[in-house]
Amino acid sequence: MHVLGIETSCDETAAAVLDDRRKTLSSVVLTQDAIHAPYGGVVPELASRQHLATIGRVVGEALRRAEIPLECIDAYAATQGPGLVGSLLVGLSFAKALAYYFEKPLAGVDHVEAHIEAAFLENPNLPFPAVALVVSGGHTALFFLKKRLHYRLLGRTRDDAAGEALDKIAKFLGLGYPGGPVIEKWAATGDAERFVFALPRMKDTSLDFSFSGLKTAALRLIGETDMSDSHPRLADFLASFEEAVVRALVTNLGRAAKRFNPASFILCGGVARNKRLRRGFEELARSSGVAAFIPSPALCTDNAAMVAALGLEKLKTAKKASWPLDLDAYPRFNATRE
Ligand code: KG4
Ligand code: ZN
């Protein structure tokens, strides 16, 4: 059995083919970074137009690399949401058309859950219960997983996502897009203790995150110090900011661990590529005696292998296979707290 996964929730057009043993036969990701870079962020209208222009080629390339003809695809999976609706509709409609024509099942996949699935793709025997920290440009959330496909939302950002905060600071300083990797490069040579950022504190006992305060503090410091790309302390400033974002994430994960006593920690989403975050996450796991799992970098940022993998898992447990043509895209984070 072969499943074709399609991902177009934001600014990556991606397709992947997996076999029923979850082996990735191909994974193609076409990024639109160069198109959005002049604007310092994703322009939704440009993103959907670009998906439309490239989806056929990206899917074709995934099939060619997997050496599987389209007629031999047994099931389809596509990201349904959350994301930019104009972008989501391109991938979802493409998958629906193929599923309808070939009369094969189609699974609609949640993008945030797919990021978590990336960890299972490389670690099928990951021990439960697990606490997953999803950190991307659009989402920052904590989940408790009692078992496969059981996602209980523990906390989420009340304002900006962590990646969004990094992207906005980089944009303000004119450093380029996406901001996370650029900041990481600058921060590598900086002194993270040079600038002090107060960490956000929730007034209640919730495991929610907040990054708008950190962002505002950073913008104030930029103004006060006249920070720019030619400032001698830019590397220190960015290292300190990156460190504050990492501390905010890891501190909350530590609080969740105390309450939920997991056997595993999962770190995923685009920002999970960040080395300082990976280090902080692994240190917390070591000191808490919890096994740590982070997908390899290519599986952290948006890709379709994670979508195909989750689609396969959902279809395996589905009562009856279907090609639901009424499957609709949804823009917002769907998870609710139990
Ligand atoms: O998961 P993703 O590809 O898309 C969303 O679902 O949002 O994540 C993109 C985010 C961007 O905010 C980008 O700046 C961030 O991931 N990112 C990083 C790194 N690589 C990507 N942030 C920090 N360090 C990195 N190395
Ligand atoms: Zn993502």
Side-chain angles (χ1 to χ4, degrees):
M1 176 176 172
H2 296 101
V3 59
L4 172 71
I6 296 179
E7 153 66 41
T8 60
S9 67
C10 191
D11 60 341
E12 262 88 32
T13 319
V17 179
L18 263 63
D19 69 15
D20 54 355
R21 285 165 43 232
R22 295 165 64 85
K23 184 167 179 250
T24 303
L25 302 183
S26 68
S27 178
V28 177
V29 180
L30 183 63
T31 175
Q32 303 178 357
D33 282 354
I35 290 167
H36 303 290
Y39 306 94
V42 179
V43 183
E45 180 67 20
L46 294 181
S48 47
R49 280 168 191 268
Q50 191 61 17
H51 287 306
L52 264 181
T54 58
I55 183 79
R57 267 186 289 143
V58 169
V59 168
E61 183 62 17
L63 293 166
R64 197 187 61 77
R65 288 192 200 169
E67 297 180 16
I68 304 290
L70 194 49
E71 309 79 72
C72 295
I73 293 295
D74 305 287
Y76 294 89
T79 306
Q80 216 182 327
L84 303 168
V85 165
S87 291
L88 286 162
L89 283 172
V90 176
L92 189 59
S93 306
F94 202 86
K96 267 189 204 175
L98 290 173
Y100 178 70
Y101 181 79
F102 290 103
E103 299 190 4
K104 300 289 182 197
L106 165 66
V109 163
D110 182 275
H111 183 77
V112 178
E113 293 174 2
H115 271 302
I116 299 174
E117 188 67 21
F120 292 99
L121 193 50
E122 291 180 323
N123 305 280
N125 298 318
L126 193 149
F128 289 100
V131 168
L133 173 58
V134 188
V135 203
S136 73
H139 316 281
T140 299
L142 268 174
F143 289 88
F144 180 77
L145 283 83
K146 190 173 63 182
K147 56 179 181 170
R148 292 290 272 132
L149 304 182
H150 277 245
Y151 312 92
R152 177 176 159 204
L153 180 68
L154 301 180
R156 57 183 290 191
T157 184
R158 292 188 180 175
D159 36 63
D160 289 347
E164 190 180 357
L166 292 166
D167 292 342
K168 283 181 179 167
I169 293 303
K171 178 180 179 181
F172 195 80
L173 288 167
L175 300 178
Y177 172 83
V182 188
I183 289 183
E184 175 165 46
K185 215 181 252 171
W186 274 96
T189 57
D191 172 5
E193 289 175 19
R194 177 85 197 191
F195 293 87
V196 179
F197 288 94
L199 285 196
R201 271 230 193 105
M202 292 299 152
K203 290 201 179 70
D204 46 36
T205 56
S206 99
L207 291 167
D208 280 350
F209 300 87
S210 168
F211 289 97
S212 70
L214 268 182
K215 187 190 64 190
T216 308
L219 291 174
R220 203 182 49 238
L221 263 174
I222 290 173
E224 282 168 10
T225 57
D226 230 351
M227 190 58 65
S228 70
D229 58 359
S230 55
H231 195 288
R233 293 271 169 244
L234 180 65
D236 296 344
F237 173 76
L238 293 175
S240 305
F241 182 63
E242 191 185 70
E243 174 68 24
V245 170
V246 168
R247 265 189 298 133
L249 292 166
V250 171
T251 304
N252 229 13
L253 180 63
R255 290 172 60 220
K258 285 209 178 91
R259 267 194 241 170
F260 293 92
N261 223 354
S264 310
F265 280 152
I266 297 169
L267 175 67
C268 55
V271 185
R273 290 178 78 124
N274 185 274
K275 290 191 197 68
R276 193 185 301 272
L277 176 57
R278 291 169 96 98
R279 263 195 320 270
F281 172 80
E282 273 158 2
E283 272 162 28
L284 173 73
R286 232 185 338 267
S287 64
S288 325
V290 177
F293 298 90
I294 316 176
S296 48
L299 278 175
C300 286
T301 27
D302 290 349
N303 65 87
M306 66 185 192
V307 173
L310 183 53
L312 201 55
E313 200 62 27
K314 285 179 79 172
L315 288 169
K316 231 166 60 187
T317 52
K319 290 196 179 61
K320 71 177 188 21
S322 62
W323 50 96
L325 294 182
D326 56 351
L327 212 59
D328 206 0
Y330 52 85
R332 270 179 245 297
F333 196 52
N334 231 0
T336 46
R337 283 172 237 256
E338 277 174 20

